[in-house]
Structures are given as C-alpha cells and as structure tokens.
Amino acid sequence: MLTRFAPSPTGDLHLGHAYSAVLAHDAARAANGRFVIRIDDIDGSRSREDYVAASLADLVWLGLAWDGEPVRQSARLGDYATALDTLRARGLVYSCFCTRADIAASLSAPHGPSGPVYPGTCRDLPAAERERRMATEPHCWRLDMARAVLTTGALAWEEQGQGERVADPLAHGDIVLARKDAPASYHLASTLDDAMMGVTHIIRGADLLASTDVHRLLQALLGLPTPLYRHHPLVCGPDGKRLAKRDAAASLASLRAAGVDGPALAADLLAARLPTGYSLRMP
Ligand code: GLU
C-alpha cells in the first residue's frame, strides 16, 4: 500500500489537512506500506517556499514520518507536457482563448460538479483562425470531453467501504488541462503524479470527490492504473463551515504555539475526536 498527502503550499495547514494526513499516514503504517508527500506547487504565483517548509514542520510536529523525499510538482513539468502532447496528437484537446469573464457572460454555461461548464465557444474554431490567434493570444488547453468519453466508454472506481462509483466526466464539460499561467491543471498533474508515485490508495477530502470523475477519465485516456479511493468528511469550524486557509485559529501553527501536543492531536484525529467546536461533516 502506498498513500500520499499532497498539500498546496499556498497557506498554513489547518486541522482539516492534519485529519487528511493522519488518515493517509495511518492507513499506510497499518498495512506496513509507504506514506509519501507531494508538494502541489504548480501554481507559481500562489505557491511559497516558506509554506512548504512550514507544512513539513507541521507534519513532523504531528509525529508523522514520510518515506523518501517529497515530490515537487514544479519538477515534473516535462511529464505534464508529454501527456498533453499525447492527447493533442489524438485530437482530444483544443486551444481556448476565452477569459473567465467571457465564460461567465455566456448564458449557456450551466453549473457542473466543479464550477461552470465551459460552453464550448472555442471547440470548433476554423483552423486558420485558431492558428492566427494562437500566435498572439494567451490560451489554455481544454479536453474535448465528448470525444474523450467516446474513446473510453463507461468508467467507475472503487470507493473504499462503499463499493463501485460510476464516473460522470461528461458533467464537467471541457475541463482545462493546461492553463494560461500554469503548464498543467490540478487534474492533469495530480492524476499523472499519483500514477508515477505508485499511489495505491488515495485518501483525501470529500471536496475532491467530484474531481475523481475527471481523474478516472484521464487514467483511462493515458493508460494509467486506477487506485482505490477514500474521500473523508471535512473538518468544519464552530460556524459549521469547512475550514479554509484563512481560519487562523484552526491552523496547526497556532495550535502548536498554544502548547497543543502534536502526536496527541494526531491520535485524537485518527479516532475522529476533534477539539471543542470542530466537527466532521460530509459536504
Ligand atoms: N493539493 C490538493 C489540495 O491541497 C490536494 C490534491 C489531492 O489530494 O488530490 O487541495
């Protein structure tokens, strides 16, 4: 068994991250497996080195030990580009010039499981226009979802303890695989990395359950194995809302500064015992 914890270094870790890390760590240790860390630092404008160091220090404080060196997404850009080339060669991706505002303004953009569904404006641009605009206009790369789904057929994954879940990638529309400002989207980078790292069990928050529709599709398109999944409830604050990076009181740094014992907190989280005022909820 190999599990992972994959923080994005864009803020301080909080109790929700600790819960996720503790579950993944414990699952690996209980099975005599491996627990690895991935730093999701692909977003160059928001990722910060001090958050990387602070996140690792938080995990050490919790008493968690990981195997090997943390994997950095920023060091894996070549692999993301190769995967994108593969999909491009199969005619499954297209360049898109729309801005967020363009998409928001489009009346035909319904809401999908992970945000507005792209209305397909750039999907069928004439080749000459596409070529001309690509030379001068910033663009992202989108997956042609309908075509992609035709090539894979029906897909499912195993959600631990719940059995099979049918993937519904079509509901997400033509998702972005490479952004204007980042060489790969979360979906592409995360799916490729989990396969490269040999992750067998993905244990993460239920906020990412819908993303698994897309990850399962990318696995099928790119010939990658499908791990088992376990999407756990999210830690919510006294207001009943899931924690966010701005909730300073729940940050591991502030708990540590307040004298909380890290390994004792980890043991409590593992037993689903949360500090007063906090609760676990499915979104
Ligand atoms: N880096 C992602 C996050 O912090 C987690 C990715 C994943 O677990 O798949 O939300």
Side-chain angles (χ1 to χ4, degrees):
M1 177 187 284
L2 192 146
T3 65
R4 48 73 158 180
F5 175 60
S8 303
T10 55
D12 287 323
L13 298 191
H14 54 54
L15 277 171
H17 297 106
Y19 182 60
S20 209
V22 164
L23 290 186
H25 177 266
D26 179 70
R29 293 292 171 246
N32 225 352
R34 286 163 58 80
F35 171 68
V36 296
I37 305 290
R38 186 178 77 221
I39 305 293
D40 286 359
D41 58 352
I42 205 166
D43 185 339
S45 59
R46 289 172 64 225
S47 296
R48 281 178 24 194
E49 270 317 297
D50 51 335
Y51 286 134
V52 175
S55 299
L56 296 177
D58 285 340
L59 297 177
V60 170
W61 170 70
L62 286 167
L64 307 187
W66 56 89
D67 296 299
E69 283 297 307
V71 171
R72 295 278 194 138
Q73 287 199 323
S74 56
R76 304 226 336 106
L77 306 187
D79 278 22
Y80 308 150
T82 303
L84 194 64
D85 282 345
T86 307
L87 297 174
R88 203 182 280 122
R90 285 161 59 190
L92 295 176
V93 296
Y94 61 89
S95 48
C96 168
F97 308 91
C98 294
T99 62
R100 260 176 224 273
D102 290 337
I103 297 169
S106 162
L107 290 177
S108 60
H111 216 75
S114 49
V117 172
Y118 179 63
T121 321
C122 292
R123 191 187 305 126
D124 298 313
L125 289 180
E129 177 184 346
R130 186 183 300 283
E131 220 165 289
R132 176 175 53 73
R133 292 179 68 180
M134 274 179 56
T136 54
E137 285 182 47
H139 51 274
C140 68
W141 291 90
R142 289 185 181 274
L143 185 66
D144 186 331
M145 189 59 89
R147 288 179 86 143
V149 167
L150 274 181
T151 71
T152 66
L155 297 167
W157 76 85
E158 173 87 13
E159 183 73 24
Q160 251 187 339
Q162 292 178 29
E164 196 172 83
R165 282 193 73 121
V166 173
D168 184 13
L170 261 185
H172 298 254
D174 292 353
I175 50 136
V176 173
L177 291 183
R179 289 160 35 186
K180 289 174 186 167
D181 58 346
S185 66
Y186 157 66
H187 293 312
L188 181 62
S190 186
T191 305
L192 285 166
D193 290 345
D194 285 329
M196 182 281 292
M197 293 159 73
V199 177
T200 61
H201 293 63
I202 294 187
I203 298 172
R204 62 183 175 194
D207 53 327
L208 293 171
L209 179 68
S211 295
T212 309
D213 291 332
V214 174
H215 299 176
R216 181 67 192 85
L217 175 78
L218 290 173
Q219 288 155 7
L221 289 176
L222 295 165
L224 306 173
T226 303
L228 287 176
Y229 287 87
R230 173 171 165 200
H231 291 93
H232 58 70
L234 304 179
V235 176
C236 295
D239 59 359
K241 294 208 182 97
R242 61 178 283 212
L243 296 179
K245 285 190 168 155
R246 60 181 176 280
D247 291 325
S251 80
L252 301 185
S254 59
L255 294 171
R256 178 167 18 162
V260 171
D261 181 82
L265 174 65
D268 280 344
L269 291 173
L270 194 54
R273 274 191 305 269
L274 277 90
T276 311
Y278 295 93
S279 57
L280 287 169
R281 297 187 194 193
M282 273 305 196

Coordinates of all heavy atoms in Angstrom, one line a residue, residues 96-173:
C96 N -8.0 27.2 -26.2 CA -9.2 28.0 -25.8 C -8.7 29.4 -25.4 O -7.8 29.6 -24.6 CB -9.9 27.4 -24.7 SG -11.2 28.4 -24.0
F97 N -9.3 30.4 -26.0 CA -8.9 31.8 -25.8 C -9.8 32.6 -24.9 O -9.6 33.8 -24.6 CB -8.8 32.5 -27.2 CG -8.0 31.8 -28.2 CD1 -8.6 30.9 -29.0 CD2 -6.6 32.0 -28.2 CE1 -7.8 30.1 -29.9 CE2 -5.9 31.3 -29.1 CZ -6.5 30.3 -30.0
C98 N -10.8 31.9 -24.4 CA -11.8 32.6 -23.6 C -11.3 33.1 -22.2 O -10.5 32.4 -21.6 CB -13.0 31.7 -23.3 SG -14.0 31.3 -24.8
T99 N -11.7 34.2 -21.8 CA -11.4 34.7 -20.4 C -12.5 34.2 -19.5 O -13.5 33.8 -19.9 CB -11.3 36.2 -20.4 OG1 -12.6 36.7 -20.7 CG2 -10.3 36.8 -21.4
R100 N -12.2 34.3 -18.2 CA -13.2 33.9 -17.2 C -14.5 34.8 -17.4 O -15.6 34.3 -17.3 CB -12.7 34.3 -15.8 CG -12.2 33.1 -15.0 CD -11.6 33.6 -13.7 NE -10.3 33.0 -13.4 CZ -10.2 31.8 -12.8 NH1 -11.3 31.2 -12.4 NH2 -9.1 31.3 -12.6
A101 N -14.2 36.0 -17.7 CA -15.4 36.9 -17.9 C -16.2 36.5 -19.2 O -17.4 36.5 -19.1 CB -14.9 38.4 -18.1
D102 N -15.5 36.1 -20.2 CA -16.2 35.6 -21.4 C -17.2 34.4 -21.0 O -18.3 34.3 -21.4 CB -15.3 35.0 -22.5 CG -14.4 36.0 -23.1 OD1 -14.8 37.2 -23.1 OD2 -13.3 35.7 -23.6
I103 N -16.6 33.5 -20.2 CA -17.4 32.3 -19.8 C -18.5 32.7 -18.9 O -19.7 32.2 -19.1 CB -16.4 31.3 -19.2 CG1 -15.4 30.8 -20.2 CG2 -17.2 30.1 -18.7 CD1 -14.2 30.0 -19.7
A104 N -18.2 33.6 -18.0 CA -19.3 34.0 -17.0 C -20.5 34.7 -17.8 O -21.6 34.5 -17.4 CB -18.8 34.9 -16.0
A105 N -20.1 35.4 -18.9 CA -21.1 36.1 -19.6 C -21.9 35.3 -20.5 O -23.0 35.7 -21.0 CB -20.4 37.2 -20.5
S106 N -21.4 34.0 -20.7 CA -22.2 33.2 -21.6 C -23.4 32.6 -20.9 O -23.3 31.9 -19.9 CB -21.2 32.0 -22.1 OG -22.0 31.0 -22.6
L107 N -24.6 32.9 -21.5 CA -25.8 32.4 -20.9 C -25.9 30.9 -20.9 O -26.7 30.3 -20.1 CB -27.0 33.0 -21.6 CG -27.1 34.5 -21.5 CD1 -28.3 35.1 -22.3 CD2 -27.4 34.9 -20.0
S108 N -25.2 30.3 -21.8 CA -25.4 28.8 -21.9 C -24.4 28.1 -21.0 O -24.2 26.9 -21.3 CB -25.2 28.4 -23.4 OG -23.9 28.8 -23.8
A109 N -23.8 28.7 -20.1 CA -22.8 28.0 -19.2 C -23.5 27.5 -18.0 O -23.6 28.2 -17.0 CB -21.6 28.9 -18.9
P110 N -24.0 26.3 -18.0 CA -24.7 25.7 -16.7 C -23.6 25.4 -15.7 O -22.4 25.3 -16.0 CB -25.4 24.5 -17.2 CG -24.6 24.0 -18.4 CD -23.9 25.3 -19.0
H111 N -24.0 25.2 -14.5 CA -23.1 24.8 -13.4 C -22.9 23.3 -13.4 O -23.8 22.5 -13.4 CB -23.6 25.3 -12.1 CG -22.5 25.8 -11.2 ND1 -21.9 27.1 -11.5 CD2 -21.9 25.3 -10.1 CE1 -21.0 27.2 -10.5 NE2 -21.0 26.2 -9.7
G112 N -21.6 22.9 -13.3 CA -21.3 21.5 -13.2 C -20.9 21.1 -11.8 O -20.9 22.0 -10.9
P113 N -20.4 19.9 -11.6 CA -20.0 19.5 -10.2 C -18.8 20.3 -9.7 O -18.5 20.3 -8.5 CB -19.6 18.0 -10.4 CG -20.1 17.6 -11.8 CD -20.3 18.8 -12.6
S114 N -18.0 20.9 -10.6 CA -16.8 21.6 -10.2 C -16.8 23.0 -10.8 O -15.7 23.5 -11.2 CB -15.6 20.8 -10.5 OG -15.6 20.4 -11.8
G115 N -17.9 23.7 -10.9 CA -17.9 25.1 -11.4 C -18.7 25.1 -12.7 O -19.3 24.2 -13.2
P116 N -18.6 26.3 -13.4 CA -19.4 26.5 -14.6 C -18.9 25.5 -15.7 O -17.7 25.3 -15.8 CB -19.1 27.9 -15.0 CG -18.3 28.5 -14.0 CD -17.8 27.5 -13.0
V117 N -19.8 25.0 -16.4 CA -19.4 24.1 -17.5 C -19.1 25.0 -18.8 O -19.9 25.8 -19.2 CB -20.5 23.1 -17.9 CG1 -20.2 22.3 -19.1 CG2 -20.7 22.2 -16.7
Y118 N -17.9 24.8 -19.3 CA -17.5 25.6 -20.4 C -18.4 25.4 -21.6 O -18.7 24.3 -22.0 CB -16.0 25.2 -20.8 CG -15.5 26.0 -22.0 CD1 -15.4 27.3 -21.9 CD2 -15.2 25.3 -23.2 CE1 -14.9 28.1 -23.0 CE2 -14.7 26.1 -24.3 CZ -14.6 27.4 -24.2 OH -14.2 28.2 -25.3
P119 N -18.9 26.5 -22.2 CA -19.9 26.4 -23.2 C -19.4 25.9 -24.6 O -20.2 25.8 -25.5 CB -20.5 27.8 -23.3 CG -19.5 28.7 -22.8 CD -18.7 27.9 -21.8
G120 N -18.1 25.7 -24.7 CA -17.6 25.2 -26.0 C -17.3 26.2 -27.1 O -17.0 25.8 -28.2
T121 N -17.2 27.4 -26.7 CA -17.0 28.5 -27.7 C -15.8 28.3 -28.6 O -16.0 28.5 -29.8 CB -16.7 29.9 -26.9 OG1 -17.6 29.9 -25.8 CG2 -17.0 31.1 -27.8
C122 N -14.7 27.8 -28.1 CA -13.5 27.7 -28.9 C -13.3 26.2 -29.5 O -12.4 26.0 -30.2 CB -12.3 28.0 -28.1 SG -12.2 29.7 -27.7
R123 N -14.3 25.4 -29.2 CA -14.1 24.0 -29.6 C -14.0 23.8 -31.1 O -13.2 23.0 -31.6 CB -15.3 23.1 -29.1 CG -15.0 21.6 -29.2 CD -16.2 20.8 -28.8 NE -16.7 21.1 -27.5 CZ -18.0 21.5 -27.2 NH1 -18.9 21.5 -28.2 NH2 -18.3 21.7 -26.0
D124 N -14.9 24.5 -31.9 CA -14.9 24.3 -33.3 C -14.5 25.5 -34.1 O -15.0 25.7 -35.2 CB -16.3 23.8 -33.7 CG -16.7 22.5 -33.1 OD1 -15.9 21.6 -33.1 OD2 -17.8 22.4 -32.5
L125 N -13.5 26.2 -33.6 CA -13.0 27.4 -34.4 C -12.4 26.9 -35.7 O -11.7 25.8 -35.8 CB -11.9 28.1 -33.6 CG -12.3 28.9 -32.4 CD1 -11.0 29.5 -31.7 CD2 -13.3 29.9 -32.7
P126 N -12.5 27.7 -36.8 CA -11.9 27.3 -38.1 C -10.4 27.2 -37.8 O -9.8 28.1 -37.1 CB -12.2 28.5 -39.0 CG -13.4 29.1 -38.3 CD -13.3 28.9 -36.9
A127 N -9.7 26.3 -38.5 CA -8.3 26.0 -38.3 C -7.5 27.3 -38.5 O -6.5 27.6 -37.7 CB -7.8 24.9 -39.2
A128 N -7.8 28.1 -39.5 CA -7.0 29.2 -39.8 C -7.1 30.3 -38.7 O -6.1 30.9 -38.3 CB -7.4 29.8 -41.2
E129 N -8.3 30.5 -38.2 CA -8.5 31.4 -37.1 C -7.8 31.0 -35.9 O -7.1 31.8 -35.2 CB -10.0 31.6 -36.8 CG -10.2 32.6 -35.6 CD -11.7 32.7 -35.2 OE1 -12.5 32.3 -36.0 OE2 -11.9 33.2 -34.1
R130 N -7.8 29.7 -35.6 CA -7.2 29.2 -34.4 C -5.7 29.4 -34.5 O -5.0 29.9 -33.6 CB -7.5 27.7 -34.3 CG -6.9 27.1 -33.0 CD -7.2 25.6 -32.9 NE -8.5 25.2 -32.9 CZ -9.4 25.3 -31.9 NH1 -9.0 25.8 -30.8 NH2 -10.7 24.9 -32.0
E131 N -5.1 29.1 -35.6 CA -3.7 29.3 -35.8 C -3.2 30.7 -35.6 O -2.3 31.0 -35.0 CB -3.3 28.8 -37.2 CG -2.0 28.0 -37.2 CD -1.9 27.2 -38.5 OE1 -2.6 26.2 -38.7 OE2 -1.1 27.6 -39.3
R132 N -4.0 31.6 -36.2 CA -3.7 33.0 -36.2 C -3.8 33.5 -34.7 O -2.8 34.2 -34.2 CB -4.7 33.8 -37.0 CG -4.5 35.3 -37.0 CD -5.5 36.0 -37.9 NE -6.9 35.7 -37.8 CZ -7.7 36.0 -36.8 NH1 -7.2 36.8 -35.8 NH2 -9.0 35.6 -36.8
R133 N -4.8 33.1 -34.0 CA -4.9 33.6 -32.6 C -3.9 33.0 -31.7 O -3.4 33.6 -30.8 CB -6.4 33.3 -32.1 CG -7.4 34.1 -32.9 CD -8.8 33.8 -32.4 NE -9.1 34.3 -31.1 CZ -10.2 34.1 -30.5 NH1 -11.2 33.5 -31.1 NH2 -10.4 34.6 -29.2
M134 N -3.5 31.7 -32.0 CA -2.6 31.1 -31.1 C -1.2 31.8 -31.1 O -0.4 31.7 -30.2 CB -2.4 29.6 -31.5 CG -3.4 28.7 -30.8 SD -3.3 27.0 -31.2 CE -1.7 26.6 -30.8
A135 N -0.9 32.4 -32.3 CA 0.4 33.1 -32.4 C 0.4 34.4 -31.5 O 1.5 34.8 -31.1 CB 0.6 33.5 -33.8
T136 N -0.7 34.9 -31.2 CA -0.7 36.2 -30.4 C -1.5 36.2 -29.1 O -1.2 37.0 -28.2 CB -1.3 37.3 -31.3 OG1 -2.6 36.9 -31.8 CG2 -0.4 37.6 -32.5
E137 N -2.5 35.3 -29.0 CA -3.4 35.5 -27.8 C -3.0 34.4 -26.8 O -2.8 33.2 -27.1 CB -4.8 35.2 -28.2 CG -5.4 36.4 -28.9 CD -6.9 36.2 -29.3 OE1 -7.6 35.7 -28.4 OE2 -7.3 36.4 -30.5
P138 N -3.1 34.8 -25.5 CA -2.9 33.8 -24.4 C -4.0 32.7 -24.5 O -5.2 33.1 -24.9 CB -3.0 34.6 -23.1 CG -3.2 36.0 -23.5 CD -3.4 36.1 -25.0
H139 N -3.7 31.5 -24.3 CA -4.7 30.4 -24.4 C -4.4 29.3 -23.4 O -3.3 29.1 -23.0 CB -4.8 29.9 -25.8 CG -3.5 29.5 -26.4 ND1 -2.6 30.3 -27.0 CD2 -2.8 28.3 -26.4 CE1 -1.5 29.7 -27.4 NE2 -1.6 28.4 -27.0
C140 N -5.5 28.6 -23.1 CA -5.3 27.4 -22.3 C -5.6 26.2 -23.2 O -6.0 26.4 -24.4 CB -6.2 27.4 -21.1 SG -8.0 27.3 -21.4
W141 N -5.5 25.0 -22.7 CA -5.8 23.8 -23.5 C -6.9 23.0 -22.7 O -6.8 22.8 -21.5 CB -4.6 22.9 -23.6 CG -3.5 23.5 -24.5 CD1 -2.5 24.3 -24.1 CD2 -3.5 23.4 -25.9 NE1 -1.8 24.8 -25.2 CE2 -2.3 24.2 -26.3 CE3 -4.2 22.8 -26.9 CZ2 -2.0 24.3 -27.7 CZ3 -3.8 22.9 -28.2 CH2 -2.7 23.7 -28.6
R142 N -8.0 22.7 -23.5 CA -9.1 22.1 -22.9 C -9.3 20.7 -23.5 O -9.0 20.4 -24.7 CB -10.4 22.8 -23.2 CG -10.5 24.1 -22.4 CD -11.9 24.8 -22.6 NE -11.9 26.0 -21.9 CZ -12.3 26.1 -20.6 NH1 -12.7 25.0 -19.9 NH2 -12.3 27.3 -20.0
L143 N -9.8 19.8 -22.7 CA -10.1 18.4 -23.2 C -11.5 18.5 -23.9 O -12.4 19.1 -23.4 CB -10.2 17.5 -21.9 CG -10.4 16.0 -22.2 CD1 -9.2 15.4 -22.9 CD2 -10.7 15.3 -20.9
D144 N -11.5 17.9 -25.0 CA -12.8 17.7 -25.7 C -13.5 16.5 -25.1 O -13.3 15.4 -25.4 CB -12.6 17.5 -27.2 CG -13.9 17.5 -28.0 OD1 -14.9 17.1 -27.4 OD2 -13.8 17.8 -29.2
M145 N -14.4 16.9 -24.1 CA -14.9 15.8 -23.2 C -15.8 14.8 -23.9 O -15.6 13.6 -23.7 CB -15.7 16.5 -22.1 CG -16.1 15.5 -21.0 SD -14.6 14.7 -20.2 CE -14.2 15.9 -18.9
A146 N -16.6 15.3 -24.8 CA -17.5 14.3 -25.5 C -16.7 13.3 -26.3 O -17.0 12.1 -26.3 CB -18.5 15.1 -26.4
R147 N -15.7 13.8 -27.0 CA -14.8 12.9 -27.8 C -14.0 12.0 -26.9 O -13.9 10.8 -27.2 CB -13.8 13.7 -28.6 CG -14.4 14.4 -29.8 CD -13.3 15.2 -30.5 NE -12.7 14.3 -31.5 CZ -12.2 14.7 -32.7 NH1 -12.4 16.0 -33.0 NH2 -11.7 13.9 -33.5
A148 N -13.5 12.5 -25.8 CA -12.7 11.7 -24.9 C -13.6 10.6 -24.3 O -13.2 9.4 -24.3 CB -12.2 12.6 -23.7
V149 N -14.8 10.9 -23.9 CA -15.7 9.9 -23.3 C -16.0 8.8 -24.4 O -16.2 7.6 -24.0 CB -17.0 10.6 -22.8 CG1 -18.0 9.6 -22.4 CG2 -16.6 11.4 -21.5
L150 N -16.2 9.2 -25.6 CA -16.4 8.2 -26.7 C -15.3 7.2 -26.8 O -15.5 6.0 -27.1 CB -16.6 8.9 -28.0 CG -18.0 9.5 -28.4 CD1 -17.9 10.1 -29.8 CD2 -19.0 8.3 -28.3
T151 N -14.1 7.7 -26.6 CA -12.9 6.7 -26.7 C -12.8 5.8 -25.5 O -12.2 4.7 -25.6 CB -11.6 7.4 -26.9 OG1 -11.2 8.1 -25.7 CG2 -11.7 8.5 -28.0
T152 N -13.3 6.2 -24.3 CA -13.1 5.3 -23.2 C -14.3 4.5 -22.8 O -14.1 3.4 -22.2 CB -12.8 6.2 -21.9 OG1 -14.0 6.9 -21.6 CG2 -11.6 7.1 -22.1
G153 N -15.5 4.9 -23.1 CA -16.7 4.2 -22.7 C -16.9 4.4 -21.2 O -16.3 5.3 -20.6
A154 N -17.9 3.7 -20.6 CA -18.2 3.9 -19.2 C -17.1 3.5 -18.3 O -16.3 2.6 -18.5 CB -19.4 3.0 -18.9
L155 N -17.0 4.3 -17.2 CA -15.9 4.2 -16.2 C -16.4 4.2 -14.8 O -17.4 4.8 -14.5 CB -14.9 5.3 -16.4 CG -14.2 5.4 -17.8 CD1 -13.4 6.7 -17.9 CD2 -13.2 4.2 -17.9
A156 N -15.7 3.5 -13.9 CA -16.1 3.5 -12.5 C -14.8 3.4 -11.7 O -13.7 3.1 -12.2 CB -17.0 2.4 -12.2
W157 N -14.9 3.7 -10.4 CA -13.8 3.5 -9.4 C -14.4 2.9 -8.2 O -15.6 2.9 -7.9 CB -13.0 4.7 -9.2 CG -13.7 5.7 -8.2 CD1 -13.7 5.7 -6.9 CD2 -14.5 6.8 -8.6 NE1 -14.4 6.7 -6.3 CE2 -14.9 7.5 -7.4 CE3 -14.9 7.4 -9.8 CZ2 -15.7 8.6 -7.3 CZ3 -15.7 8.5 -9.8 CH2 -16.1 9.1 -8.6
E158 N -13.5 2.3 -7.4 CA -13.9 1.7 -6.1 C -13.7 2.7 -5.0 O -12.6 3.2 -4.7 CB -12.9 0.5 -5.9 CG -13.1 -0.2 -4.6 CD -14.2 -1.3 -4.6 OE1 -14.7 -1.6 -5.7 OE2 -14.6 -1.7 -3.5
E159 N -14.8 3.1 -4.3 CA -14.7 4.0 -3.2 C -14.7 3.1 -2.0 O -15.7 2.3 -1.7 CB -15.9 4.9 -3.2 CG -16.0 6.0 -2.1 CD -15.0 7.1 -2.2 OE1 -14.5 7.4 -3.4 OE2 -14.6 7.7 -1.2
Q160 N -13.7 3.1 -1.2 CA -13.5 2.1 -0.1 C -14.7 2.1 0.8 O -15.1 3.2 1.3 CB -12.2 2.5 0.7 CG -11.1 1.5 0.4 CD -9.9 1.7 1.4 OE1 -9.8 2.8 1.9 NE2 -9.1 0.7 1.5
G161 N -15.2 0.9 1.1 CA -16.3 0.8 2.0 C -17.6 1.1 1.4 O -18.7 0.8 2.0
Q162 N -17.7 1.6 0.2 CA -18.9 1.9 -0.4 C -19.2 1.2 -1.7 O -20.2 1.4 -2.4 CB -19.0 3.4 -0.7 CG -19.1 4.3 0.6 CD -19.1 5.7 0.2 OE1 -19.6 6.1 -0.8 NE2 -18.6 6.5 1.1
G163 N -18.1 0.5 -2.2 CA -18.3 -0.2 -3.5 C -18.0 0.7 -4.7 O -17.4 1.8 -4.6
E164 N -18.5 0.3 -5.8 CA -18.2 1.0 -7.1 C -19.0 2.3 -7.2 O -20.1 2.4 -6.9 CB -18.6 0.0 -8.2 CG -18.0 0.4 -9.5 CD -18.2 -0.7 -10.5 OE1 -19.3 -0.7 -11.1 OE2 -17.3 -1.5 -10.7
R165 N -18.3 3.3 -7.7 CA -18.9 4.5 -8.1 C -18.7 4.8 -9.6 O -17.6 4.7 -10.1 CB -18.3 5.7 -7.3 CG -18.8 5.8 -5.9 CD -18.5 7.1 -5.2 NE -19.3 8.1 -5.7 CZ -20.1 8.9 -5.0 NH1 -20.2 8.6 -3.7 NH2 -20.8 9.9 -5.5
V166 N -19.8 5.1 -10.2 CA -19.7 5.4 -11.7 C -19.2 6.8 -11.9 O -19.7 7.8 -11.2 CB -21.1 5.2 -12.3 CG1 -21.1 5.7 -13.8 CG2 -21.6 3.8 -12.2
A167 N -18.2 7.0 -12.7 CA -17.7 8.3 -13.0 C -18.5 9.0 -14.1 O -19.1 8.4 -15.0 CB -16.2 8.1 -13.6
D168 N -18.7 10.3 -13.8 CA -19.5 11.1 -14.8 C -18.7 12.3 -15.3 O -19.0 13.4 -15.0 CB -20.8 11.6 -14.0 CG -21.7 12.3 -15.0 OD1 -21.5 12.2 -16.2 OD2 -22.7 13.0 -14.5
P169 N -17.7 12.0 -16.1 CA -16.8 13.1 -16.5 C -17.6 14.1 -17.4 O -17.3 15.3 -17.4 CB -15.7 12.4 -17.3 CG -16.2 11.0 -17.6 CD -17.2 10.7 -16.5
L170 N -18.6 13.6 -18.2 CA -19.3 14.5 -19.1 C -19.9 15.7 -18.4 O -20.0 16.8 -18.9 CB -20.4 13.7 -19.8 CG -20.2 13.2 -21.2 CD1 -21.5 12.6 -21.7 CD2 -19.7 14.3 -22.1
A171 N -20.3 15.5 -17.1 CA -21.0 16.6 -16.4 C -20.0 17.7 -16.2 O -20.5 18.9 -15.9 CB -21.5 16.0 -15.0
H172 N -18.7 17.5 -16.3 CA -17.7 18.6 -16.0 C -17.5 19.4 -17.3 O -16.8 20.4 -17.2 CB -16.4 18.0 -15.5 CG -16.6 17.2 -14.2 ND1 -16.1 17.8 -13.0 CD2 -17.1 16.0 -13.9 CE1 -16.4 16.9 -12.0 NE2 -17.0 15.9 -12.6
G173 N -17.9 18.9 -18.4 CA -17.7 19.6 -19.7 C -16.2 19.6 -20.0 O -15.4 18.8 -19.6

